[in-house]
Amino acid sequence: MEGHVYKIVELVGSSPDSVEDAIGAAIKRAGETVRRLRWFEVVQIRGAVDKGAVADYQVVLKVGFTLDRENE
């Protein structure tokens, strides 16, 4: 039996509400075009400030997905 092989892509999700929503937005959008998403790693969290308040959250993610096989 062969082990898993993953491809990794980097995504940036954003949300005006929270870090969790930024992660969710990135994963949801990637799931529309990338099959077999398996895991994510938060690489960086940052945001924008407007008039002394948090205006937007940005999260950089590494997302892993398994590669297709010809017989699958």
Side-chain angles (χ1 to χ4, degrees):
M1 181 170 176
E2 200 173 308
H4 295 285
V5 175
Y6 299 95
K7 172 80 174 165
I8 299 172
V9 296
E10 193 168 81
L11 306 172
V12 179
S14 65
S15 169
D17 299 318
S18 70
V19 169
E20 290 84 3
D21 286 351
I23 292 168
I27 297 297
K28 181 179 179 184
R29 179 63 182 88
E32 293 174 9
T33 57
V34 178
R35 295 188 309 268
R36 296 188 170 110
L37 292 173
R38 298 293 186 237
W39 57 267
F40 71 90
E41 172 187 358
V42 175
V43 177
Q44 186 178 71
I45 299 172
R46 60 179 177 241
V49 177
D50 185 28
K51 298 178 185 169
V54 174
D56 197 52
Y57 298 89
Q58 284 189 342
V59 180
V60 179
L61 307 169
K62 287 185 180 180
V63 179
F65 60 95
T66 53
L67 299 174
D68 287 341
R69 294 179 182 266
E70 287 185 30
N71 59 354
E72 291 183 359

